[in-house]
Amino acid sequence: TKHHTTERGRAHARMKLTITKLILVSLFSLQFYFISKNIIEYEKIGMEMILRLQDFRSRPLDIAMRIASIFGFEFFIILVPLLAWWGDRRLTQLGAHLFVLLLLILFLVSCTKVVFSRPRPLSVSDKIGHYGAEDKIEFSYPSGHAWASSSFFFLAKSLKGPQYWVAAILMCSITMFSRLYFGVHYPHDLVAGLICGVISIILFTFIEKFLEALFANVEISSGESKGDRRRRLFLNWPNMVSLVIFAMTSVASLIMTEDQRRRQQGLVFVPYCLMGFIISKPFIPVLTCESSKFRLMRMLVGIPIIFSLYVLFRVTAISMRPLLSVISGAWLFAVAPIIFLKLGLTDTQH
């Protein structure tokens, strides 16, 4: 009886939490709708704020704000491999989940921007200093950097600790301000991006918990412990979500025009990067590592390749970007771990 009472209490607490999250999603969605409905008015107000900020621009501040802007997307080029290659099973799992979440966000950002097709402030006013040619081409609403930086809240929730929440708030804040400072986004772009990011994380967490519970009840095969079966299947659920995102992105790419795909390169990167991830998934070795020396050597071997692929993606011809995206997805979770194994940068293999 005591056990049943405890279970009912837990079920009741889970139900209350679910209802609370659904209410939050509804409220945030209404806020996004309200911003979208009054977008022209907000752009006029936001332009005044951006032009005032231009009076304070200086070379040192430009450098500081460029570094701050990295936390929107580029920082994850280091963070995801760091988690995936650290050699801890839990962190590898977190890296895979973060990777899928970021690609989902990139897909949703690209589609939403194409739907609204709002020009960036620096392409509207010549009073805003130069930032980057590609950033001038892309659409403004909502902010992709604000949307992606909300992933820090997903990490804070997963790592569990007040220091991670403080870091997440700080990262989001400086990223959003840097985008406003350079005039690549209006204030309402940033607010809308953050709102969408929080909604994405809440829904992604629902999927995560549902699939974890689903895989936990899968029948165990002979000769395999329940714990091993559960871990193996749980590591595979990002593959299922990846297939869904891949299908949605492929359909969206077919529907959209060449100019829209050129303006939002996420529609090129996401499906092909997922293709590399999905194709290579069966070959991924799970490598444990407790040696700091091995961990450092993994980063020295793997991260320069990731950066090289990112730079090539930004500067190469559009026709080459699908191939680079496939290589990126495969390198991160399959090719690099296999190389680490061949080089002996592991304690044990599972």
Side-chain angles (χ1 to χ4, degrees):
T1 306
K2 185 177 179 180
H3 174 72
H4 289 157
T5 303
T6 304
E7 284 298 317
R8 282 198 299 270
R10 289 175 180 171
H12 182 65
R14 285 195 297 268
M15 181 61 70
K16 285 178 65 177
L17 182 61
T18 300
I19 292 172
T20 301
K21 288 181 177 179
L22 290 174
I23 292 172
L24 284 174
V25 168
S26 301
L27 291 174
F28 282 134
S29 300
L30 284 172
Q31 185 64 39
F32 178 77
Y33 169 77
F34 179 78
I35 294 172
S36 303
K37 189 177 180 181
N38 298 278
I39 195 168
I40 304 297
E41 182 181 343
Y42 286 136
E43 284 181 354
K44 294 176 182 177
I45 298 171
M47 181 60 78
E48 294 177 7
M49 186 182 298
I50 292 169
L51 292 177
R52 285 174 185 167
L53 277 176
Q54 300 309 297
D55 297 333
F56 298 96
R57 285 189 64 168
S58 64
R59 185 168 179 75
L61 265 179
D62 280 4
I63 294 171
M65 289 298 104
R66 278 189 180 274
I67 295 171
S69 186
I70 287 172
F71 292 107
F73 272 116
E74 292 82 358
F75 178 72
F76 293 104
I77 297 173
I78 298 176
L79 184 59
V80 172
L82 189 68
L83 293 171
W85 300 338
W86 191 252
D88 179 86
R89 189 183 293 272
R90 185 177 69 92
L91 292 180
T92 300
Q93 177 178 292
L94 179 58
H97 295 187
L98 179 62
F99 174 74
V100 175
L101 173 62
L102 287 168
L103 289 182
L104 174 63
I105 285 174
L106 187 54
F107 163 68
L108 293 174
V109 165
S110 300
C111 290
T112 309
K113 285 191 174 190
V114 168
V115 168
F116 288 98
S117 297
R118 301 304 304 170
R120 290 189 184 272
L122 55 78
S123 64
V124 174
S125 173
D126 55 6
K127 296 179 181 178
I128 300 173
H130 177 72
Y131 180 68
E134 195 153 318
D135 286 282
K136 195 170 184 178
I137 292 172
E138 293 180 356
F139 295 121
S140 181
Y141 182 81
S143 167
H145 275 67
W147 198 328
S149 66
S150 66
S151 301
F152 286 114
F153 295 116
F154 173 75
L155 285 173
K157 181 193 75 68
S158 302
L159 295 173
K160 296 181 174 65
Q163 68 273 24
Y164 297 115
W165 286 102
V166 172
I169 293 170
L170 181 63
M171 298 286 194
C172 281
S173 300
I174 63 175
T175 300
M176 291 169 66
F177 180 76
S178 71
R179 305 303 282 175
L180 184 66
Y181 173 86
F182 284 118
V184 291
H185 285 296
Y186 297 100
H188 66 275
D189 295 343
L190 301 166
V191 174
L194 188 60
I195 287 172
C196 292
V198 173
I199 293 173
S200 300
I201 291 170
I202 292 174
L203 296 178
F204 187 81
T205 305
F206 272 125
I207 297 170
E208 186 181 42
K209 290 187 178 299
F210 170 75
L211 291 176
E212 180 184 8
L214 178 67
F215 287 153
N217 296 322
V218 172
E219 188 176 334
I220 303 167
S221 61
S222 59
E224 188 176 31
S225 70
K226 185 175 181 179
D228 287 342
R229 175 71 168 175
R230 182 171 181 173
R231 281 193 295 270
R232 183 166 66 81
L233 289 171
F234 189 54
L235 276 172
N236 280 342
W237 81 253
N239 209 21
M240 295 174 56
V241 180
S242 298
L243 285 167
V244 174
I245 301 172
F246 176 76
M248 292 191 301
T249 315
S250 301
V251 171
S253 297
L254 290 172
I255 294 172
M256 292 176 187
T257 64
E258 182 64 32
D259 179 64
Q260 289 171 334
R261 289 195 296 271
R262 182 179 63 86
R263 286 174 175 269
Q264 295 302 139
Q265 284 298 301
L267 294 171
V268 175
F269 178 77
V270 171
Y272 289 101
C273 187
L274 282 173
M275 185 187 296
F277 176 69
I278 293 167
I279 292 171
S280 63
K281 198 72 165 61
F283 307 102
I284 299 176
V286 180
L287 308 177
T288 61
C289 179
E290 296 181 0
S291 168
S292 299
K293 178 183 176 182
F294 284 175
R295 285 170 176 164
L296 177 60
M297 291 178 69
R298 286 182 180 189
M299 302 308 154
L300 291 175
V301 170
I303 288 181
I305 302 297
I306 289 288
F307 263 113
S308 300
L309 290 168
Y310 170 74
V311 172
L312 283 172
F313 185 89
R314 300 286 290 186
V315 302
T316 194
I318 293 177
S319 59
M320 289 297 295
R321 292 181 178 183
L323 176 60
L324 292 171
S325 302
V326 172
I327 295 172
S328 299
W331 173 261
L332 190 56
F333 285 100
V335 180
I338 290 172
I339 291 175
F340 299 154
L341 179 63
K342 297 295 183 182
L343 294 175
L345 302 178
T346 178
D347 300 326
T348 56
Q349 180 187 0
H350 299 279

